[in-house]
Amino acid sequence: MSAAAEAPIVEVRGVSRRFEKQLDFVARLARRAGLPVREEVVHAVDGVDLTIQRGEVVGLVGESGCGKSTLGRMVAGILPPSEGTILRQGRDLRSLGGSEARLAKLRTQMIFQDPYASLNPRRKVAEIVGEAPLYHGLVRRADLADYVDEQLRRAGLDPALKGRYPHQFSGGQRQRIGIARALAVQPDMLVCDEAVAALDVSIQAQILNLFMKLRRELDLTYLFISHDLGVVEHLSDRVVIMYLGRVVEAAPSEEVFARPNHPYTQALLAEVPRIENRKRHFAGVQGEIPSPLNPPGGCHFHPRCPHALARCKVERPVLREIAPGHRSACHLNEAT
Amino acid sequence: MTAPTLELRDLRTHFATRGGVVKAVDGVSLRVDRGQVLGLVGESGSGKSVTGFSILGLVDPPGQVVGGQVLFQGQDLARLDEEAMRHLRGNRIAMIFQDPMMTLNPVLRIDTQMIETVLAHAPVSREEARQRARDALGQVGIAAPEERMRAYPHQFSGGMRQRVAIAIALLHKPDLIVADEPTTALDVTIQGQILAEAQKLCAEHGTALIWITHDLSVVAGLADRIAVMYAGRVVEEGPVEAVLDAPLHPYTVGLIGSVPSRNRRGAALNQIPGMTPSMLNLPAGCAFAARCPRAASGCSEPPPFVEFRPGRSARCIHPHAEGPPA
């Protein structure tokens, strides 16, 4: 047990996830006739390594289509990887059997972007929050009402409202219901996928404060997925930046924001609107985010990179440590 | 002194619903001058988008502009008939929506739509119209416009579509553009590109711009002036620096405190307690009073919109950084 306690809470090793579009009947016929028809494959996540220590808040940042949500879902155990392994406290969940695997999976819970879409509209709040702990035997039926009240109170909801349905709540309150439901099965880790993106600023602040309070009270570990660098900077101990399925940079928060190394990170940080910056001149990163169906070879960022070398077009850069705890995948770090 | 490009005087847009009258815009007064950017900031349901729609006369029933004036270069648009309004819309005044597919027809090629827009307001040949469309696309940074304009909207990415929508808005070099959350759905790097285009436009053509957003950080970098809306009313108005650095209204103070910023990493954010009130059931006095830390007995009366210094107004009887009203 002591060995397991020392192992990182999550270790992602060389994980990839592909989504394939099956050929339809016409395409299969065409292929049999010798035409060059291929399945379309999206490499949503492409060879990612990621370690999360107990108690850490790791911010996972990237633009649409970079694979951050897919990675989050694999960490939460609701999507199997195509390749690689994910270790939970040193153990591969796939090697565990029946009930042991089920309980281990409960230890990671997920908070979704759209709380309304993730709550059953025909169930009362008490049922939404109470169902899973009852099913998994975490609470006896006699104690369920008190248990649900406690979960709601902890998430900042009045237990008197537990007889209501999700549509009777505002967006911020619905997100609190989602949080209460996730915490009801006593996880030690939360994967938050754009959990505050759909909320108004004043409500967003309430939910972010709640996340920080819960972290202190329950000793939670967070994988916090967001496209909003301001939110991630505020919350995270460490930041991981993805671009088109790959991690391009990972470092402690202060380090990333003070000394961004990868040209993509630098561009991203330069474009974040900040309330401190007045009447600035916007420039914009050149070019578009390429299609993940057909990503550029070598370093995925090279067509938009102002410093691209010939080598960047052909050779995939590996994630290397450039300072203690600071890793970046860029060929420029080797050029002298 | 010339008339401002746009001046709203006591604009009221109400929606008659089964549950009662929703005063989505309730006495909004604003002005934008040539080449200026006004950031219109508020949370969902504050009435900021309805204000934008009201300017262009695009409020659908049951909504209706029930009072006030929309003075565009001195002319009251609220009194204009539909025919005259159509002559201005897309020509002198343009709107950019959050979702570019609201502007674009999915079954027509980009060139068809753009040429149609040019011909609607300018007596030019088809060839000349095509030329103007091509130039507008080039101007918003679309590479190979000649080739790209033969594509359909679905063949573009979200950022590209928004650029096309902006290019269409620019076709007649309008005097006023109302932009309703145009970058909210876009990625940061693409948002940067669009903001750059907007800045260039105001500087080069003297276009006045109303940028409607919930994101204070965006207007901090873009706008000259900011108006903050809450529950259908402007609660604070002034130059960007003044509003963000020395806010008067407690709601603005709360809003700024809610923004995660590099200055306060890891510290708890100042949250505004409670939530926005239902527009069907607003209190008689200040709509923010129930959430306000400075609320006192006087707040049960409707607070007046007071000009504390020239160009610096707020709707509050207990403002922060109090000064004698001008």
Side-chain angles (χ1 to χ4, degrees), chain A residues 35-56:
Chain A
L35 291 171
V37 179
R38 284 189 18 225
E39 282 105 346
E40 290 193 329
V41 180
V42 177
H43 289 263
V45 173
D46 185 10
V48 165
D49 297 301
L50 173 67
T51 307
I52 303 174
Q53 302 294 342
R54 176 170 289 282
E56 234 185 349

Side-chain angles (χ1 to χ4, degrees), chain A residues 226-261:
Chain A
S226 178
H227 70 283
D228 187 334
L229 279 158
V231 169
V232 165
E233 179 180 17
H234 189 79
L235 217 61
S236 311
D237 303 315
R238 212 147 55 81
V239 177
V240 175
I241 291 151
M242 284 183 78
Y243 188 73
L244 281 180
R246 296 175 184 168
V247 171
V248 296
E249 186 159 1
S253 275
E254 290 90 357
E255 178 81 7
V256 169
F257 288 96
R259 282 173 292 281
N261 176 271

